[in-house]
Amino acid sequence: MGVDYYNILKVNRNASDDDLRKAYRRLAMIWHPDKNPGPKKHEAETKFKQVSEAYDVLSDPQKRQIYDLYGEEALKSGQVPHPPRGGTHHFHTQPHPNPSFRFNPRDAEDIYAELFGGSSSSKIHNGRGRETRDGFFRSTANAGAEFSGASSSASRKAPAVENTVMCSLEDLYKGAKKKMKVSKTIQDVSGMPRIVEEILTIEIKPGWKKGTKITFPEKGNQEPGVIPSDLVFVVDEKPHPFFVREGNDLVVKQEISLLEALTGKTLELITLDGRNLRIPLTEVVRPGHEVVVPNEGMPISKELHRRGNLRIKIDVRYPTRLTEVQKSELSRVLAGT
């Protein structure tokens, strides 16, 4: 018989139309190429076409009857094998029992769209006269959007699931890669749910802020008839022992003595990327004074050649007590100020 369409759909030969639809939906969600990027895409494309062809044949009463009686070759060629008298093993062909029948396979994406809420005629024009199919799966920006058929809506999509990804200030300054292990339920080829683990890699870009969201479209649990949810990771920032972020600026507090405030000091700081900064204080520093160092703050994510400012807030440490000699000396030195 050649290809065993019943085996491809994992149904028995008495499968009803409803059985075929359920089997197709389950397998199509597993093998759709848009669900299998990267190295598995070629295998998925092959499997998806096989599943679609099997459903196309078995869901059409005329195609199914010819297939059941004579097999795949007869279905597609329009001729059925007939052994001649004499018992030899060489087969001849005879006219097809339905001469008017012609096997016209349906497009796999049309079948998918029809079974998941669209229709085989639901196509749109891109404004330049070229016809394009508006399929169930989209780019990241439109993943899970409704199929734009004229009278049908797409299957329900499960709500997005949010998780937090904790980042140090150094991660957000320099950029980093975070690997997140997620567990989810999928439908195996037999239709049974099973739990699998997957490692997702999040590339943290320099300058990202708390609250930034990274979306992995349709990476959530698989349920029959429901589009898997998006997994959304929300950036959160760990407190830093030294720096505080305010927008694109970095703020740091430094305490100096009264003597240093009056006579000068060179501040030494280690940046988030490990560089040593030396900032000289050459003027008299008053309490609450702020020194601004341009372009030493956080990267600006949309303009990576620019950075915010480093703002150093100076606190002057006063002595708790002075001796009479110290008071007299200060009076003499500061008398003319």
Side-chain angles (χ1 to χ4, degrees), residues 50-259:
Q50 290 175 346
V51 168
S52 300
E53 182 175 300
Y55 178 78
D56 176 34
V57 171
L58 298 183
S59 63
D60 184 298
Q62 188 176 26
K63 293 178 183 177
R64 183 172 180 175
Q65 181 184 31
I66 296 169
Y67 172 74
D68 285 346
L69 289 174
Y70 303 109
E72 178 209 7
E73 184 178 349
L75 175 71
K76 295 180 177 179
S77 69
Q79 302 244 330
V80 298
H82 176 70
R85 293 186 179 91
T88 68
H89 295 288
H90 299 287
F91 278 35
H92 298 288
T93 59
Q94 65 178 359
H96 197 281
N98 185 353
S100 64
F101 175 81
R102 294 294 182 272
F103 179 69
N104 294 309
R106 295 176 60 197
D107 183 87
E109 288 290 351
D110 282 343
I111 296 172
Y112 188 89
E114 181 179 302
L115 268 290
F116 282 92
S119 71
S120 60
S121 60
S122 295
K123 298 179 181 178
I124 61 174
H125 288 271
N126 64 9
R128 297 187 298 273
R130 183 169 60 88
E131 195 177 60
T132 57
R133 192 181 319 284
D134 188 14
F136 184 81
F137 287 94
R138 311 281 184 86
S139 64
T140 299
N142 298 307
E146 289 189 346
F147 182 86
S148 61
S151 60
S152 301
S153 60
S155 299
R156 178 176 64 88
K157 182 169 184 174
V161 177
E162 289 195 355
N163 300 274
T164 300
V165 53
M166 296 300 299
C167 298
S168 67
L169 198 52
E170 287 84 355
D171 292 335
L172 299 174
Y173 184 90
K174 296 182 290 185
K177 286 187 178 181
K178 299 282 186 179
K179 294 188 180 296
M180 309 295 290
K181 181 186 288 187
V182 296
S183 297
K184 62 181 180 180
T185 302
I186 67 168
Q187 306 292 316
D188 63 20
V189 293
S190 65
M192 298 298 293
R194 64 185 180 94
I195 296 176
V196 297
E197 290 186 340
E198 184 175 2
I199 303 295
L200 301 177
T201 300
I202 300 173
E203 187 171 352
I204 305 297
K205 301 292 186 181
W208 275 6
K209 297 178 180 178
K210 179 178 179 178
T212 299
K213 294 184 177 183
I214 308 98
T215 301
F216 290 85
E218 300 173 17
K219 283 290 187 179
N221 295 331
Q222 293 180 0
E223 301 176 41
V226 179
I227 305 170
S229 62
D230 295 343
L231 290 185
V232 180
F233 291 89
V234 183
V235 170
D236 199 359
E237 181 184 305
K238 299 176 184 177
H240 194 273
F242 197 51
F243 294 100
V244 173
R245 181 178 187 173
E246 293 185 2
N248 293 318
D249 291 349
L250 285 174
V251 179
V252 63
K253 292 182 179 180
Q254 287 280 282
E255 185 181 73
I256 62 175
S257 69
L258 176 59
L259 177 61

